[in-house]
Amino acid sequence: MSLTRPTRTEMINKQVRFKLNANAASLSILLFLQVLAFFLVVSSTVSFGAGEISVVESSTASHAALTIFWAFFSGISLGSAAKWNEAFTFVSTRLTHHLSSFIYMMVVSFMASLMAILAGPAARLITYMRYEEVMQSTQTITEAPGDFLIQFITAFAYILMVFVMGYTIQSFFQANRLLGGLYIIVIVAFLFTINLMLGISVVSAIVFAFIQETSLVLFLLKVIGAIILLMSLSIWMTNRLEVRKS
Amino acid sequence: MDDESIRGEKIIMGIFTVLPIVLLIMILILAMVGKGFIRKGILSFNRKFHFWAAFGFIGLLLIMTILAEVLYPTSQVSKAPPKMDNHFPYSLKAYNAISDDVIEGKKVDSPLLVASRTHEVGDQLEIMHRGEFYDFPMIYIERSDTASNTVEEYVYKPYMFVNDYDYTEQLNLHLPTWQDDTMTIVDMVDFQLNLVSFSDASLFKQFTSAGLGTVFSGGVGSSSASPIIHLIVPEDVEVIAPFDDVMFVEDMREEW
């Protein structure tokens, strides 16, 4: 029996450090994907009668897509049974586990968004050095420093939200492998029914609510709302789960 | 373009279409193989390695960002072709002016002039065209009352716009070949344009002033015209041209 009683903050702090160390390999996976994205440049050749026009479109779209892809699967990995068991090696409660997971996701999402955003000027440099004439649709940091900051905030919000989404989906399965799958089937069936009966695509409506938002403040409020909802679902789903499964 | 190059182009396009899928499969295979190696202890990375790699990569990206801003501080590149604005484009204006000046009998002073040559012919001048229809130029024949067999030839390049950019400067023109009394036109227009665009990920620039589109998000479209050949042929020289696109300036003036 321990004579010291750790505070919640101390527990969270210790767990965040542990999670950062235990999941350090995911940073290398992200790095690998980021490097890979530099090679994904779309190009095509169009023939126009007497001549030929070759089009090379260099963009950081693949950096964004691969980072989002990474965040989703990292979220799923973080919520897995193995990680759940690892978390309770220390003095911990279900709530501190989820809170420390969330802080971990914030820290890693911050690093991922930094990589995804800094890939922009880096890809621009490579493109400009490789080709003589480049038509650009984005302003440089010198021209619009505010845009760079806004891009970073947007990237961070999207990456964190997708990370939490993966974590929540895994929590459903964690709670009960069979019931978790059943819940997801019920949700998908419900969404399909609404689509068939009312002609409203709920998934599209949710996606568009984020990607078509024009106000940054409203977008951030929506993201915060979605994260609170998803994290609450995770906590609720795993509330009665054993702290350690042998 | 010959069949061989069309085939090659299709293969390249096909490669680019399946490349992301192939890469994704490769990532998954690599991840699985790597995981197996790590489990067996063949491959091992300590935790510090992952952190140092990530921070090192961010450091490298920061250096590249500084370099990009120092070397290319603006989005406008001096070597890029002039962008078409809302006003009547310069090259199009210059192109239309050629026909107007020829018909009005004015001296043509055009930036689109590629060559001005003189040729000695006999009693007749035959104009021949070999090549595709889109290569066919607009030929203005003006009669001169000089008693000689010298034909004056002025060749003008057309304008060419690709999306909002003026690529007229980059058009190559193969001049007609003259042999004895025959002027032969073969594949006059030739261009090889390499259009390169750069844009940040649309998903992340949702709230920036730049907008979501890329330079070619609406596709690639070009607008161009035929090259113009203005021939001043002495009255006594008979012109044989078996196609309708040869226009006699005197007839046009009458119709004007």
Side-chain angles (χ1 to χ4, degrees), chain A residues 28 54 56 124 140 142 158 210, chain B residues 1 50 69 73 193 195 201 206:
Chain A
S28 291
S54 78
V56 176
R124 187 164 67 88
T140 64
T142 318
Y158 271 123
F210 290 98
Chain B
M1 271 176 87
H50 300 298
E69 291 302 310
L193 305 180
L195 310 183
Q206 191 175 340

Side-chain angles (χ1 to χ4, degrees), chain B residues 169-189:
Chain B
E169 281 293 313
Q170 293 189 33
L171 271 183
N172 298 317
L173 229 59
H174 301 298
L175 295 176
T177 52
W178 289 73
Q179 200 171 22
D180 301 326
D181 296 345
T182 310
M183 179 180 93
T184 311
I185 303 156
V186 185
D187 296 336
M188 270 194 92
V189 184

Side-chain angles (χ1 to χ4, degrees), chain A residues 24 28 31 40 47-48 52 54 56 58-60 124 133 135 137-138 140-143 147 158 210-211 213, chain B residues 1 23 50 53 69 72-73 75 79 165 167 191 193-201 206-207 209 214 222:
Chain A
S28 291
L31 196 154
L40 296 173
S47 292
F48 280 89
E52 213 173 71
S54 78
V56 176
S58 177
S59 156
T60 51
R124 187 164 67 88
E133 295 169 8
M135 289 171 241
S137 67
T138 317
T140 64
I141 304 173
T142 318
E143 286 174 325
D147 278 4
Y158 271 123
F210 290 98
I211 63 167
E213 180 55 64
Chain B
M1 271 176 87
L23 282 170
H50 300 298
E69 291 302 310
Y72 310 102
S75 48
K79 282 183 179 174
Y165 293 89
Y167 277 92
F191 58 89
L193 305 180
N194 298 311
L195 310 183
V196 186
S197 79
F198 175 79
S199 58
D200 281 328
Q206 191 175 340
F207 304 102
S209 51
T214 62
S222 74

Side-chain angles (χ1 to χ4, degrees), chain B residues 93-111:
Chain B
K93 207 172 182 179
Y95 180 80
N96 289 342
I98 298 166
S99 302
D100 293 346
D101 289 349
V102 168
I103 296 163
E104 286 171 23
K106 289 181 189 169
K107 185 175 162 40
V108 185
D109 181 20
S110 175

Side-chain angles (χ1 to χ4, degrees), chain A residues 20-21 24-25 27-28 31-36 38 40-41 43-45 47-61 64 68-69 111 114-129 131-143 147 150-151 154-155 158-159 210-216 219, chain B residues 1 5 9 12-13 16 19-20 23-24 27-28 30 47 49-51 53-55 57-58 61-77 79-81 134-135 160 162 165 167 170 189-217 220-222:
Chain A
L20 278 169
N21 282 319
L27 289 175
S28 291
L31 196 154
F32 172 72
L33 293 175
Q34 288 286 323
V35 173
L36 183 84
F38 279 106
L40 296 173
V41 174
S43 72
S44 58
T45 307
S47 292
F48 280 89
E52 213 173 71
I53 301 175
S54 78
V55 179
V56 176
E57 285 198 83
S58 177
S59 156
T60 51
I68 296 282
F69 169 84
M111 287 175 78
L114 202 60
M115 281 188 197
I117 292 305
L118 289 175
R124 187 164 67 88
L125 179 72
I126 294 167
T127 312
Y128 274 55
M129 287 175 96
Y131 303 100
E132 283 188 346
E133 295 169 8
V134 181
M135 289 171 241
Q136 196 180 321
S137 67
T138 317
Q139 287 183 304
T140 64
I141 304 173
T142 318
E143 286 174 325
D147 278 4
I150 290 169
Q151 280 196 65
T154 315
Y158 271 123
I159 293 166
F210 290 98
I211 63 167
Q212 288 187 336
E213 180 55 64
T214 50
S215 158
L216 179 64
F219 169 77
Chain B
M1 271 176 87
S5 51
E9 189 187 300
I12 293 167
M13 289 283 284
F16 276 108
L19 195 65
L23 282 170
L24 197 66
I27 294 168
L28 292 172
L30 270 171
R47 282 156 197 166
F49 168 84
H50 300 298
F51 282 112
F55 286 122
F57 184 64
I58 291 173
L61 289 177
L62 271 170
I63 294 167
M64 288 176 89
T65 302
I66 294 164
L67 276 174
E69 291 302 310
V70 171
L71 295 173
Y72 310 102
T74 60
S75 48
Q76 294 297 319
V77 186
K79 282 183 179 174
Y134 45 70
D135 264 341
M160 173 143 180
V162 178
Y165 293 89
Y167 277 92
Q170 293 189 33
V189 184
D190 176 29
F191 58 89
Q192 174 69 52
L193 305 180
N194 298 311
L195 310 183
V196 186
S197 79
F198 175 79
S199 58
D200 281 328
S202 298
L203 186 67
F204 297 156
K205 58 176 184 174
Q206 191 175 340
F207 304 102
T208 64
S209 51
L212 295 180
T214 62
V215 177
F216 305 122
S217 52
V220 177
S222 74

